[in-house]
Amino acid sequence: MNSSTPSSDDARPHRPEALFFPNQRNTREVSGGRALYGALRSNESTRKWVIRSAIALVVGLAVGLLTSDWRLGGTFAILTVIGIAVYKSRRESEIPRWRKPAAAQRKTEAQLKVMKQLGYRVLHARTVPGGNGQIDHFIVGRRGAFAIDSESWDKRLPLRNKLEQLYHGRFNKNERIDEALEEAKRAEELISAELGREIKVRASLAIYGPGMPWDSHRLRGVDIISGTKVRKWLRSGRDRLTESEIEEIYKAAERVLPPRY
């Protein structure tokens, strides 16, 4: 009887192929360096910042060599990192890459990123159960809950209100207004039922392209707003919601308005 204690390597279970290739038993599958490389590859955010830092370093070195002033090179390197970060933040969309939103939706989404920093909660591209359309942007903040549909129309045609009818050139757009109102009302009903109390969802149509004689104009229960004035319009709400109410409405909307994609 052998009283020697088996080594830790022998005590570990081996894969079946190790029985036929014993020399592979003591070979580590992944070295420390390769493991670190794999971790970096799997971390998308880390890879982005490594690439950005490399670009900034090249710019800084180039400026430093050309001007013989390394402080100026360092300044340009920092500005390069900031510039790339700002550019990427404006280009990136919360909607999956394979389902890029329309240009109008992207423009509104870019404005809403600023509102999120002020405590507003935002959902993009949500379906409305029981309805036929979608809400492009659902927002809830201190001034209330809002449903925004973003549209890009021909800038060559004028936009006007004629006897409670919205015309884009000679084309009547009331059908589109009614759709936006129906979507907001349906969302209002679903969220109210989910919370067990009544809430209001303000409907709007953000239009890009044609010039408007107003920043926002209420027509048939829907706010018609200039696409570039979305943030200003959101601050015009009359409700006063607390932080807990904002979070409560946001979570309810997330449950009852499923994502489109």
Side-chain angles (χ1 to χ4, degrees):
M1 183 174 179
N2 191 351
S3 60
S4 61
T5 303
S7 65
S8 60
D9 287 339
D10 292 338
R12 290 180 301 182
H14 300 297
R15 293 175 298 174
E17 62 267 28
L19 298 174
F20 300 93
F21 301 95
N23 290 336
Q24 294 183 1
R25 291 184 180 181
N26 295 328
T27 303
R28 293 186 179 181
E29 294 182 357
V30 181
S31 66
R34 290 177 62 188
L36 177 60
Y37 174 72
L40 288 175
R41 286 195 62 186
S42 63
N43 191 324
E44 186 70 21
S45 178
T46 301
R47 288 198 296 118
K48 287 180 180 179
W49 281 106
V50 168
I51 294 172
R52 294 173 186 178
S53 300
I55 294 172
L57 180 61
V58 171
V59 172
L61 288 173
V63 173
L65 289 172
L66 289 173
T67 62
S68 299
D69 187 342
W70 295 110
R71 289 178 299 178
L72 184 60
T75 301
F76 267 84
I78 294 171
L79 292 176
T80 300
V81 171
I82 295 173
I84 294 174
V86 171
Y87 174 79
K88 290 295 185 181
S89 68
R90 291 182 177 180
R91 294 284 297 176
E92 290 176 353
S93 171
E94 293 181 8
I95 298 174
R97 189 173 297 278
W98 58 277
R99 281 288 191 181
K100 278 294 186 183
Q105 291 172 286
R106 290 199 300 271
K107 291 177 182 178
T108 301
E109 183 183 1
Q111 294 185 67
L112 294 178
K113 285 182 179 180
V114 177
M115 301 306 295
K116 288 170 70 174
Q117 297 174 5
L118 301 177
Y120 284 71
R121 306 300 301 273
V122 182
L123 296 170
H124 299 286
R126 314 300 287 198
T127 57
V128 183
N132 297 322
Q134 76 168 32
I135 294 176
D136 291 341
H137 319 277
F138 179 86
I139 307 100
V140 57
R142 295 189 299 271
R143 298 297 181 91
F146 309 87
I148 302 178
D149 280 352
S150 298
E151 298 279 331
S152 183
W153 294 353
D154 192 337
K155 65 180 180 181
R156 297 170 296 179
L157 301 179
L159 197 67
R160 65 185 189 276
N161 175 14
K162 184 178 180 181
L163 301 176
E164 291 300 300
Q165 303 282 320
L166 181 66
Y167 283 90
H168 180 221
R170 62 185 178 86
F171 302 101
N172 190 306
K173 291 293 186 178
N174 273 11
E175 181 179 352
R176 187 65 191 90
I177 293 177
D178 294 340
E179 288 176 358
L181 180 61
E182 181 183 353
E183 292 163 4
K185 288 295 183 185
R186 181 59 181 156
E188 184 177 279
E189 293 171 1
L190 292 169
I191 297 172
S192 297
E194 179 73 12
L195 295 176
R197 60 183 177 82
E198 185 178 356
I199 69 153
K200 296 292 183 182
V201 176
R202 192 169 168 184
S204 70
L205 202 59
I207 301 174
Y208 296 86
M212 298 185 191
W214 58 78
D215 288 344
S216 65
H217 178 67
R218 194 161 183 81
L219 181 64
R220 301 168 68 88
V222 176
D223 287 289
I224 311 300
I225 58 179
S226 174
T228 58
K229 305 294 183 180
V230 170
R231 285 180 294 183
K232 179 180 178 181
W233 175 75
L234 286 172
R235 296 189 182 98
S236 68
R238 296 180 179 178
D239 292 341
R240 294 294 183 272
L241 301 180
T242 64
E243 293 295 331
S244 61
E245 289 174 325
I246 292 171
E247 188 66 19
E248 189 180 29
I249 294 172
Y250 172 78
K251 292 296 185 183
E254 198 172 33
R255 291 191 296 269
V256 301
L257 302 175
R260 181 74 171 182
Y261 308 117

